[in-house]
Amino acid sequence: MGESKAKILRRLEEACRARGLPLTAQRRIVLEELLRRTDHPTADQLFEAVRTLSPQIARRTVYRVLDTLAELGLVRRVHHPGAAVRYDAKTHRHHHLVCQRCNRIVDLENAELDRIPLPRGTWHGFTIADFSVQLIGLCPACRKLKKSIP
Ligand SMILES: [Zn+2]
Ligand SMILES: [Zn+2]
């Protein structure tokens, strides 16, 4: 299960303090926006949302904040080939249902997938930190759309 929002914001405070980084309003606002959402937004989508709350924020600031949050382990980058990097405030192990038509990403918690054994040591020279399974297909809206095509 995930952590509460308050707990994650406390982790942000602690991580910033430990690294001697200021807990800027921008860091907090970007993380709060990401915590509020489950759609795994891109940096640009986060920028558009955050700008309505904090009109003076710059796009490059949002990009930089996301890099910092990822470095601090407070957000994860979800890589989906062929699309912009998407961000996730859920950093515990979980999986994703990915729509190949509209690029929608939905979280999937599944104990069976969690138990896939990780290889010990290195694999092809990579040390393995964690894993996430992407199940690729069509979301309900896109399935409906497909059916309506004659
Ligand atoms: Zn879809
Ligand atoms: Zn996720």
Side-chain angles (χ1 to χ4, degrees):
M1 273 311 291
E3 292 172 278
S4 72
K5 190 182 149 181
K7 212 168 155 192
I8 293 167
L9 288 171
R10 208 154 51 235
R11 272 177 55 204
L12 171 65
E13 275 173 43
E14 283 161 11
C16 285
R17 198 177 320 124
R19 305 263 187 125
L21 296 171
L23 176 57
T24 59
Q26 290 98 321
R27 287 190 179 126
R28 201 186 163 89
I29 214 170
V30 169
L31 183 58
E32 270 179 316
E33 175 62 21
L34 191 55
L35 284 167
R36 221 172 48 72
R37 304 169 66 137
T38 57
D39 61 341
H40 306 78
T42 63
D44 283 337
Q45 287 170 331
L46 280 169
F47 167 67
E48 295 302 335
V50 163
R51 195 162 60 152
T52 64
L53 307 164
S54 177
Q56 72 284 9
I57 199 164
R59 190 184 296 267
R60 64 171 189 284
T61 305
V62 172
Y63 275 79
R64 228 179 17 231
V65 164
L66 286 166
D67 283 342
T68 305
L69 293 175
E71 239 173 80
L72 295 173
L74 291 160
V75 309
R76 274 191 180 183
R77 295 188 181 92
V78 181
H79 295 279
H80 182 43
V85 172
R86 310 270 288 262
Y87 289 89
D88 198 339
K90 257 192 195 177
T91 55
H92 65 280
R93 180 176 299 165
H94 69 283
H95 312 286
H96 291 123
L97 294 159
V98 180
C99 179
Q100 57 194 358
R101 201 189 143 271
C102 69
N103 290 331
R104 185 172 165 203
I105 301 179
V106 173
D107 285 328
L108 176 67
E109 308 268 354
N110 183 289
E112 229 168 300
L113 292 178
D114 288 350
R115 282 196 297 268
I116 294 175
L118 285 180
R120 293 181 199 285
T122 59
W123 243 16
H124 300 280
F126 279 64
T127 53
I128 312 298
D130 201 0
F131 70 92
S132 169
V133 176
Q134 282 191 2
L135 299 168
I136 296 158
L138 289 174
C139 73
C142 290
R143 279 176 52 210
K144 232 181 266 163
L145 223 108
K146 210 180 166 195
K147 266 183 234 148
S148 68
I149 297 170

